[in-house]
Amino acid sequence: MVDFDRARQVMIDNQLRAGGVTEARLLSRIRLVPREVFVPQSRRDLAYVDDIQWFGKPGANRFMPAPATLGRLLQLAEIAADDTVLDIGAGTGYATAIMAGMARSVTGLEQDAALAAAAAANLASLGLANASVVTGDITQFGVGRFDVMLAQGMLDSVPDNFIAALKDGGRLVALLRTGTVGIAHVFVKAGGKLTARAEFNAFLPPLQASTRHEEFVF
């Protein structure tokens, strides 16, 4: 029988802190969120391994990032208590749940309806009234909605509708593909345009295949 509380602390010490995640408020929040709730029942004993957790059938390309990768991306987001956040590629809601304890509100966007339903149930089970999960196109949120956006998957480029959804002064954290790996970037919107800061190399599967970023739909 796995001691999940102990496994969570080992993950924090050996994966997150060792991987450069040091922000105390973020680590405290991760300590409170039971990662095992968000993985498939058959893999709960492996919820805290340093690896991607896959959802659904082979080839579905839906997943939960490895703990250290997700932690480093969340740290880049510098989420404040009054931020409105969009979690793109929310899966079963793990990152949404973490950010819900740090921000004013968090919306998870998940393309798979079954995963979105599971995420909604997970968030409700934890009593997170400021978090929700929806399916559909990012354009449903309108223009200038979010202070922070997190993309849980690699992008070839930043879609125009991502830029539109950010408030002026808002920031997007995402991996941009370079060959077979990605480079984590923080993009800040100012005057309708983005400035970018590259931070570290990491790997995630693609967020979603697309041929033209102007038509990116999630």
Side-chain angles (χ1 to χ4, degrees):
M1 188 73 174
V2 174
D3 182 341
F4 289 120
D5 286 342
R6 182 176 182 278
R8 195 174 310 122
Q9 189 61 55
V10 169
M11 175 191 75
I12 289 169
D13 292 338
N14 294 352
Q15 298 178 44
L16 298 177
R17 286 197 174 101
V21 181
T22 59
E23 205 279 302
R25 183 165 166 261
L26 173 58
L27 290 172
S28 294
R29 180 59 189 165
I30 291 173
R31 181 67 183 84
L32 294 174
V33 177
R35 184 176 167 93
E36 68 274 12
V37 169
F38 298 88
V39 303
Q41 181 68 43
S42 62
R43 291 184 56 81
R44 286 195 172 177
D45 288 355
L46 302 174
Y48 293 94
V49 299
D50 185 20
D51 200 0
I52 292 169
Q53 296 282 349
W54 292 95
F55 301 131
K57 298 177 182 178
N61 201 43
R62 302 306 305 122
F63 58 90
M64 180 193 299
T69 300
L70 179 60
R72 295 179 76 186
L73 293 172
L74 290 170
Q75 183 167 260
L76 287 182
E78 298 182 337
I79 297 166
D82 61 349
D83 281 340
T84 299
V85 180
L86 181 65
D87 179 16
I88 307 167
T92 57
Y94 178 62
T96 306
I98 292 172
M99 293 187 285
M102 304 175 71
R104 175 184 297 173
S105 66
V106 184
T107 302
L109 184 61
E110 172 51 51
Q111 67 179 0
D112 185 294
L115 289 180
N122 291 335
L123 297 172
S125 74
L126 297 178
L128 298 174
N130 67 330
S132 61
V133 177
V134 298
T135 59
D137 185 336
I138 194 171
T139 59
Q140 70 188 282
F141 301 113
V143 175
R145 170 79 176 271
F146 298 103
D147 300 292
V148 176
M149 292 165 51
L150 172 71
Q152 292 199 61
M154 282 201 296
L155 301 173
D156 291 322
S157 59
V158 179
D160 291 345
N161 49 26
F162 280 33
I163 301 171
L166 276 176
K167 293 180 181 178
D168 202 58
R171 53 210 177 274
L172 164 67
V173 175
L175 291 180
L176 288 191
R177 189 200 310 269
T178 303
T180 58
V181 298
I183 300 175
H185 285 73
V186 181
F187 299 93
V188 179
K189 184 176 179 179
K193 298 182 180 180
L194 293 185
T195 59
R197 182 177 84 244
E199 289 290 339
F200 58 85
N201 291 356
F203 173 79
L204 287 176
L207 183 62
Q208 180 173 324
S210 62
T211 56
R212 295 183 58 197
H213 73 269
E214 295 87 356
E215 297 176 351
F216 189 102
V217 173
F218 197 92

